[in-house]
Amino acid sequence: MGQSIEKTEKKWSSYFPLIDAELIRLFPKWLKEWGVYLLGGEPGIGKSTIALQIIHQLTGLRIAYFSGEEKSDQITDRHVRIQTENAQPHSEFDIYHSNTLEDIVLTAETGEYQVVIIDSIQTISSDNLEGASGSPAQVKYCAEKIAELCKKKN
């Protein structure tokens, strides 16, 4: 049953502005706190680089970066390269290596993060579902649970 818009509790979200013209081509001029954004494309097209460029647009936030594919030194090297190209202040971020949905959700919930980046959804699987990571059922289930977490947080 629906609910009247007048009776709906207002929850104000934070919006984080983007100033990089290339990122604005991909997103609106801002990102919403606990919004869900999916970067898609062929391997090697630059999705991980875009994720780090987003971090460089955000200042003063707690950010968790979950990587299922790259090692910390690869992420750090790309981060330093972007930082050199983009000398503005940015948020620090914590790097985690986990391919288990339940670990990611627990860390995101308890870590008081404002932004969580998962690189990438096809490397994640849930212990609650049969099948290998990257299978259509796993990707769908994990994406749904991540979206539920974001709705709960905001």
Side-chain angles (χ1 to χ4, degrees):
M1 178 175 209
Q3 182 177 8
S4 169
I5 190 76
E6 285 79 25
K7 294 181 181 178
T8 302
E9 179 185 345
K10 282 189 178 179
K11 288 188 177 181
W12 297 101
S13 298
S14 296
Y15 291 89
F16 310 119
L18 297 174
I19 57 173
D20 183 274
E22 292 298 315
L23 290 177
I24 291 172
R25 286 180 15 166
L26 299 173
F27 300 98
K29 292 184 179 184
W30 44 262
L31 297 177
K32 183 181 181 298
E33 183 177 22
W34 289 103
V36 177
Y37 303 91
L38 177 65
L39 298 177
E42 297 295 321
I45 201 166
K47 297 178 296 293
S48 299
T49 300
I50 290 170
L52 288 171
Q53 287 172 325
I54 290 169
I55 290 172
H56 279 268
Q57 295 285 299
L58 306 174
T59 57
L61 302 176
R62 287 199 30 85
I63 300 173
Y65 188 105
F66 291 92
S67 176
E69 297 178 320
E70 296 181 329
K71 295 188 237 170
S72 293
D73 61 335
Q74 292 173 294
I75 297 166
T76 302
D77 288 347
R78 187 176 296 120
H79 166 69
V80 168
R81 188 189 81 230
I82 292 169
Q83 187 174 10
T84 303
E85 295 170 0
N86 201 354
Q88 66 192 42
H90 62 278
S91 292
E92 293 296 319
F93 61 100
D94 299 329
I95 299 172
Y96 295 95
H97 298 282
S98 179
N99 296 73
T100 306
L101 174 69
E102 291 75 20
D103 291 343
I104 292 169
V105 168
L106 179 64
T107 303
E109 285 181 326
T110 59
E112 297 182 18
Y113 292 102
Q114 293 160 294
V115 176
V116 174
I117 294 174
I118 300 171
D119 186 8
S120 74
I121 190 77
Q122 72 264 16
T123 64
I124 299 171
S125 63
S126 173
D127 294 335
N128 297 324
L129 188 68
E130 293 291 323
S133 57
S135 69
Q138 282 285 358
V139 170
K140 180 181 179 195
Y141 182 81
C142 291
E144 287 172 353
K145 293 301 176 187
I146 291 166
E148 285 175 16
L149 168 67
C150 294
K151 288 177 183 178
K152 186 172 93 174
K153 293 293 273 185
N154 192 13

